[in-house]
Amino acid sequence: MPKTDSGQHRDFAAKSWNARFEKMGDDSEAAFERNHDKWVRYGLCRPPFAVGKLPLMLRYTPDYIHDTDGRPRFVEVQGCSPRKGIKIKCEKFVTLETGWAPLLPLNFFFWDSTRNMHTTIEYTDLLKLVKSDQVTMGTFKDPGGEKPYWQLKTNMFTWKQDGEETGMG
């Protein structure tokens, strides 16, 4: 069932943790679902229990399986902002890279709700960007300790308006 989108796109990072948790991923996943067909929900969607104790392979299960011209692939969906860029947790990326990418091709779908734009990138191309000198490092505060992330500038990607063909079918 497709997710709904309220159309209100206040800076997500400026909201309280509880407000963010209530909608975490909803806008981005709604954008993915609007812009694609032949998908099935696959990963966890805010289960009613803490995921911090789950093995990383379960915690970072890709969000979707998407059929692209008869070739299934995993899709990980994430929001971003033009001001703060795309922040990818290192442990999430490595888990997707080592655990899931060997099973099926893996794409990342990034949604910028500020500009109503999206981009899709294959994992192998994203890996090249992560290794580039244009990426900076940071850390998220996490109940289990600080989590390092890679921060990529949004101008490193080609963006499409919501509703435009994504090249993913």
Side-chain angles (χ1 to χ4, degrees):
M1 168 179 263
K3 294 183 179 293
T4 58
D5 185 354
S6 66
Q8 297 176 351
H9 303 298
R10 200 177 117 211
D11 187 6
F12 189 73
K15 297 178 182 178
S16 72
W17 170 251
N18 287 338
R20 290 187 323 213
F21 186 77
E22 286 178 17
K23 286 192 61 167
M24 192 169 285
D26 287 355
D27 289 345
S28 302
E29 291 168 358
F32 173 80
E33 293 173 7
R34 273 195 311 275
N35 286 282
H36 298 87
D37 56 6
K38 298 183 186 174
W39 52 263
V40 63
R41 182 79 173 123
Y42 191 67
L44 298 173
C45 187
R46 286 191 316 279
F49 53 84
V51 298
K53 303 250 189 247
L54 288 176
L56 294 177
M57 276 290 290
L58 297 178
R59 190 181 327 167
Y60 296 124
T61 303
D63 296 308
Y64 295 90
I65 296 176
H66 179 247
D67 182 329
T68 308
D69 298 323
R71 296 171 309 193
R73 59 182 59 237
F74 290 125
V75 180
E76 179 63 18
V77 174
Q78 184 174 318
C80 65
S81 81
R83 190 169 47 87
K84 296 188 179 189
I86 296 172
K87 297 178 181 180
I88 303 170
K89 278 187 188 176
C90 298
E91 78 175 9
K92 175 182 177 177
F93 187 85
V94 170
T95 302
L96 289 165
E97 173 186 31
T98 59
W100 294 101
L103 302 176
L104 282 177
L106 172 64
N107 282 355
F108 285 77
F109 175 90
F110 297 109
W111 171 247
D112 176 350
S113 61
T114 305
R115 300 181 301 162
N116 287 326
M117 298 184 84
H118 59 88
T119 189
T120 300
I121 186 168
E122 290 185 18
Y123 140 76
T124 52
D125 293 330
L126 185 57
L127 180 61
K128 292 173 191 167
L129 291 178
V130 164
K131 291 180 176 184
S132 77
D133 61 359
Q134 298 180 54
V135 175
T136 58
M137 295 288 299
T139 56
F140 287 116
K141 302 264 187 268
D142 191 83
E146 291 192 351
K147 303 279 185 180
Y149 64 79
W150 291 296
Q151 185 171 3
L152 296 91
K153 297 175 182 160
T154 56
N155 66 6
M156 297 169 73
F157 300 83
T158 301
W159 295 86
K160 297 182 184 220
Q161 286 294 320
D162 193 16
E164 277 188 54
E165 176 61 39
T166 63
M168 287 181 57

